[in-house]
Amino acid sequence: MLVRASSFTVELGEGGYLISFNDDYEYPKEMPFGWRCGPATDAGAVVLTITDTGPLHLTVQVHDTPPAPEIGAEWEPAEEISLRADLPALYVGTLEQGDILDAWPDDEPPLEFSFSSDGSDWVRMRLYCHADDPEPGIGDHGERHLVQLWPASHTPPVHPDITEEDRQARADYAADMAMPVEDCSTAYTDTYHGEQDGQ
Protein backbone atom coordinates (compact mmCIF):
# COMPACT_ATOMS: atom_id res chain seq x y z
CA MET A 1 0.00 0.00 0.00
CA LEU A 2 1.19 3.53 -0.78
CA VAL A 3 2.25 5.28 2.44
CA ARG A 4 3.65 8.60 1.18
CA ALA A 5 4.72 10.25 -2.04
CA SER A 6 6.53 13.38 -3.21
CA SER A 7 6.68 14.87 -6.71
CA PHE A 8 8.90 17.75 -7.79
CA THR A 9 11.15 19.00 -10.58
CA VAL A 10 14.90 18.54 -10.30
CA GLU A 11 17.27 20.79 -12.26
CA LEU A 12 19.93 18.31 -13.34
CA GLY A 13 23.64 18.86 -13.68
CA GLU A 14 25.79 16.91 -16.12
CA GLY A 15 25.83 13.50 -14.46
CA GLY A 16 22.36 12.50 -13.32
CA TYR A 17 21.48 12.31 -9.63
CA LEU A 18 21.99 10.39 -6.40
CA ILE A 19 19.21 9.01 -4.23
CA SER A 20 20.34 7.93 -0.81
CA PHE A 21 19.53 7.07 2.79
CA ASN A 22 22.69 8.89 3.83
CA ASP A 23 23.46 12.61 3.62
CA ASP A 24 27.21 12.04 3.36
CA TYR A 25 27.39 12.34 -0.41
CA GLU A 26 30.40 10.99 -2.24
CA TYR A 27 31.07 11.19 -5.96
CA PRO A 28 30.54 7.64 -7.36
CA LYS A 29 33.72 5.67 -8.02
CA GLU A 30 31.81 3.65 -10.63
CA MET A 31 29.11 4.67 -13.11
CA PRO A 32 26.45 2.17 -14.26
CA PHE A 33 26.69 2.83 -18.00
CA GLY A 34 24.18 0.63 -19.82
CA TRP A 35 21.79 0.76 -16.87
CA ARG A 36 19.62 3.58 -15.55
CA CYS A 37 20.73 3.07 -11.94
CA GLY A 38 23.43 1.37 -9.94
CA PRO A 39 24.88 1.42 -6.44
CA ALA A 40 26.94 4.44 -5.40
CA THR A 41 27.23 3.06 -1.84
CA ASP A 42 25.26 0.46 0.13
CA ALA A 43 22.88 3.26 1.14
CA GLY A 44 22.67 5.12 -2.16
CA ALA A 45 22.21 4.79 -5.89
CA VAL A 46 23.38 6.85 -8.84
CA VAL A 47 20.71 7.38 -11.50
CA LEU A 48 21.72 8.20 -15.07
CA THR A 49 19.47 10.43 -17.13
CA ILE A 50 18.81 11.19 -20.78
CA THR A 51 18.71 14.89 -19.90
CA ASP A 52 22.02 16.69 -19.57
CA THR A 53 21.61 19.97 -17.71
CA GLY A 54 17.84 20.38 -17.75
CA PRO A 55 14.64 19.60 -15.82
CA LEU A 56 13.50 16.17 -14.71
CA HIS A 57 10.17 15.46 -13.01
CA LEU A 58 10.78 13.07 -10.12
CA THR A 59 8.11 11.18 -8.18
CA VAL A 60 9.18 9.19 -5.12
CA GLN A 61 6.74 6.77 -3.52
CA VAL A 62 7.09 4.92 -0.22
CA HIS A 63 5.13 1.67 0.07
CA ASP A 64 4.80 -0.73 2.98
CA THR A 65 4.65 -3.76 0.64
CA PRO A 66 5.93 -4.34 -2.92
CA PRO A 67 3.75 -2.29 -5.31
CA ALA A 68 2.20 -3.84 -8.38
CA PRO A 69 4.29 -3.32 -11.53
CA GLU A 70 3.48 -0.28 -13.64
CA ILE A 71 2.18 -1.57 -16.98
CA GLY A 72 1.99 0.23 -20.29
CA ALA A 73 4.36 1.41 -22.96
CA GLU A 74 5.04 4.81 -21.36
CA TRP A 75 7.83 3.46 -19.12
CA GLU A 76 11.14 1.86 -19.97
CA PRO A 77 11.62 -1.57 -18.35
CA ALA A 78 11.98 -1.18 -14.59
CA GLU A 79 15.27 -1.70 -12.77
CA GLU A 80 15.64 -2.64 -9.11
CA ILE A 81 18.38 -2.52 -6.50
CA SER A 82 18.58 -2.90 -2.71
CA LEU A 83 19.64 0.01 -0.48
CA ARG A 84 20.52 -0.01 3.20
CA ALA A 85 18.55 2.49 5.28
CA ASP A 86 21.38 4.15 7.20
CA LEU A 87 19.17 7.15 8.04
CA PRO A 88 15.37 7.40 8.22
CA ALA A 89 15.13 10.17 5.60
CA LEU A 90 15.66 10.03 1.86
CA TYR A 91 18.14 12.42 0.23
CA VAL A 92 18.45 13.47 -3.42
CA GLY A 93 21.50 15.22 -4.87
CA THR A 94 22.46 16.23 -8.41
CA LEU A 95 25.86 15.31 -9.83
CA GLU A 96 27.46 18.52 -11.01
CA GLN A 97 30.92 19.01 -12.50
CA GLY A 98 33.03 17.69 -9.61
CA ASP A 99 30.39 18.50 -6.99
CA ILE A 100 27.12 17.18 -5.54
CA LEU A 101 24.29 19.58 -4.72
CA ASP A 102 21.31 18.86 -2.50
CA ALA A 103 18.24 18.70 -4.76
CA TRP A 104 15.40 18.05 -2.31
CA PRO A 105 13.15 21.15 -2.55
CA ASP A 106 12.96 23.37 0.54
CA ASP A 107 9.16 23.53 0.25
CA GLU A 108 8.76 19.73 -0.02
CA PRO A 109 8.50 17.88 3.33
CA PRO A 110 11.20 15.22 3.73
CA LEU A 111 10.27 11.61 3.12
CA GLU A 112 10.97 9.96 6.44
CA PHE A 113 10.85 6.26 7.17
CA SER A 114 10.02 4.44 10.36
CA PHE A 115 12.98 2.08 9.97
CA SER A 116 15.66 1.88 12.63
CA SER A 117 19.04 3.41 11.79
CA ASP A 118 21.26 0.59 13.08
CA GLY A 119 22.16 -0.58 9.56
CA SER A 120 20.00 -3.72 9.69
CA ASP A 121 17.17 -2.42 7.52
CA TRP A 122 17.14 -2.74 3.75
CA VAL A 123 14.87 -1.07 1.23
CA ARG A 124 14.07 -2.16 -2.29
CA MET A 125 14.18 0.57 -4.92
CA ARG A 126 12.37 0.19 -8.24
CA LEU A 127 13.05 2.79 -10.93
CA TYR A 128 10.85 3.61 -13.92
CA CYS A 129 12.03 6.13 -16.54
CA HIS A 130 10.48 7.94 -19.49
CA ALA A 131 11.70 10.69 -21.82
CA ASP A 132 9.63 12.25 -24.60
CA ASP A 133 12.88 12.78 -26.52
CA PRO A 134 15.05 9.67 -25.95
CA GLU A 135 18.18 11.16 -27.56
CA PRO A 136 20.63 12.36 -24.89
CA GLY A 137 21.25 16.09 -24.81
CA ILE A 138 20.99 19.44 -23.08
CA GLY A 139 17.63 21.01 -22.21
CA ASP A 140 14.11 19.78 -21.59
CA HIS A 141 13.60 16.22 -22.85
CA GLY A 142 10.25 15.69 -21.11
CA GLU A 143 12.01 13.25 -18.78
CA ARG A 144 10.27 11.86 -15.73
CA HIS A 145 11.23 9.16 -13.24
CA LEU A 146 9.18 7.16 -10.77
CA VAL A 147 11.05 5.75 -7.79
CA GLN A 148 9.20 3.23 -5.64
CA LEU A 149 10.63 2.18 -2.27
CA TRP A 150 9.51 -0.47 0.20
CA PRO A 151 11.06 -2.45 3.06
CA ALA A 152 12.59 -5.70 1.81
CA SER A 153 15.59 -7.88 2.51
CA HIS A 154 18.70 -7.50 0.37
CA THR A 155 18.21 -9.32 -2.94
CA PRO A 156 20.10 -9.32 -6.27
CA PRO A 157 19.55 -6.35 -8.58
CA VAL A 158 17.40 -6.38 -11.73
CA HIS A 159 19.05 -4.74 -14.75
CA PRO A 160 19.22 -5.22 -18.53
CA ASP A 161 22.28 -6.79 -20.12
CA ILE A 162 25.05 -4.38 -21.02
CA THR A 163 27.15 -4.15 -24.17
CA GLU A 164 30.91 -4.32 -24.56
CA GLU A 165 30.83 -0.57 -25.21
CA ASP A 166 29.12 -0.08 -21.81
CA ARG A 167 31.79 -2.23 -20.14
CA GLN A 168 34.54 -0.13 -21.72
CA ALA A 169 32.83 3.11 -20.66
CA ARG A 170 32.60 1.78 -17.09
CA ALA A 171 36.27 0.79 -17.10
CA ASP A 172 37.34 4.17 -18.49
CA TYR A 173 35.32 6.02 -15.86
CA ALA A 174 36.69 3.87 -13.02
CA ALA A 175 40.25 4.45 -14.26
CA ASP A 176 39.67 8.21 -14.37
CA MET A 177 38.26 8.20 -10.83
CA ALA A 178 41.21 6.15 -9.54
CA MET A 179 43.75 8.56 -11.02
CA PRO A 180 45.30 10.83 -8.37
CA VAL A 181 44.38 14.47 -8.61
CA GLU A 182 47.21 16.48 -10.11
CA ASP A 183 48.85 19.14 -8.01
CA CYS A 184 47.71 22.32 -9.73
CA SER A 185 49.43 24.69 -7.32
CA THR A 186 52.10 27.04 -8.65
CA ALA A 187 55.00 28.59 -6.76
CA TYR A 188 55.69 32.28 -7.40
CA THR A 189 58.85 34.21 -6.58
CA ASP A 190 58.27 37.45 -4.71
CA THR A 191 59.83 40.17 -6.88
CA TYR A 192 58.25 43.06 -5.02
CA HIS A 193 60.52 44.37 -2.25
CA GLY A 194 58.48 47.25 -0.92
CA GLU A 195 57.62 50.72 -2.14
CA GLN A 196 59.84 52.32 -4.73
CA ASP A 197 62.00 55.30 -3.73
CA GLY A 198 60.26 58.63 -3.98
CA GLN A 199 56.75 57.24 -3.53
Side-chain angles (χ1 to χ4, degrees):
M1 181 176 78
L2 179 64
V3 177
R4 4 181 130 72
S6 290
S7 291
F8 49 89
T9 298
V10 175
E11 288 298 326
L12 297 168
E14 298 177 359
Y17 63 93
L18 291 175
I19 188 163
S20 178
F21 288 98
N22 191 317
D23 60 353
D24 186 17
Y25 292 136
E26 185 176 319
Y27 218 84
K29 292 181 174 58
E30 297 181 355
M31 201 62 78
F33 297 116
W35 299 341
R36 282 303 212 124
C37 65
T41 64
D42 283 350
V46 59
V47 181
L48 300 181
T49 58
I50 296 292
T51 306
D52 175 353
T53 316
L56 173 137
H57 185 76
L58 179 62
T59 299
V60 183
Q61 298 177 343
V62 177
H63 298 258
D64 56 6
T65 56
E70 297 286 324
I71 53 176
E74 68 174 307
W75 297 111
E76 298 173 14
E79 296 184 34
E80 292 187 11
I81 61 174
S82 294
L83 302 175
R84 193 180 65 225
D86 283 353
L87 296 174
L90 188 72
Y91 296 85
V92 175
T94 57
L95 294 171
E96 310 292 333
Q97 186 69 30
D99 198 6
I100 301 171
L101 301 180
D102 184 24
W104 195 272
D106 293 336
D107 60 351
E108 187 72 21
L111 277 182
E112 296 191 350
F113 293 73
S114 58
F115 309 132
S116 67
S117 58
D118 61 3
S120 63
D121 291 306
W122 287 85
V123 174
R124 193 67 171 172
M125 171 181 146
R126 182 185 295 156
L127 173 68
Y128 292 97
C129 302
H130 171 86
D132 294 339
D133 178 1
E135 290 298 317
I138 295 173
D140 189 349
H141 284 244
E143 187 164 5
R144 62 185 188 275
H145 290 187
L146 170 61
V147 174
Q148 297 176 323
L149 302 157
W150 66 93
S153 59
H154 185 277
T155 52
V158 176
H159 295 295
D161 293 335
I162 63 171
T163 65
E164 193 55 44
E165 184 180 352
D166 295 327
R167 287 186 179 87
Q168 187 59 53
R170 291 181 181 200
D172 292 345
Y173 178 88
D176 287 344
M177 290 301 291
M179 193 178 306
V181 177
E182 293 181 16
D183 183 2
C184 297
S185 61
T186 303
Y188 293 96
T189 303
D190 182 11
T191 57
Y192 182 73
H193 300 293
E195 295 183 356
Q196 295 179 356
D197 291 340
Q199 292 185 353

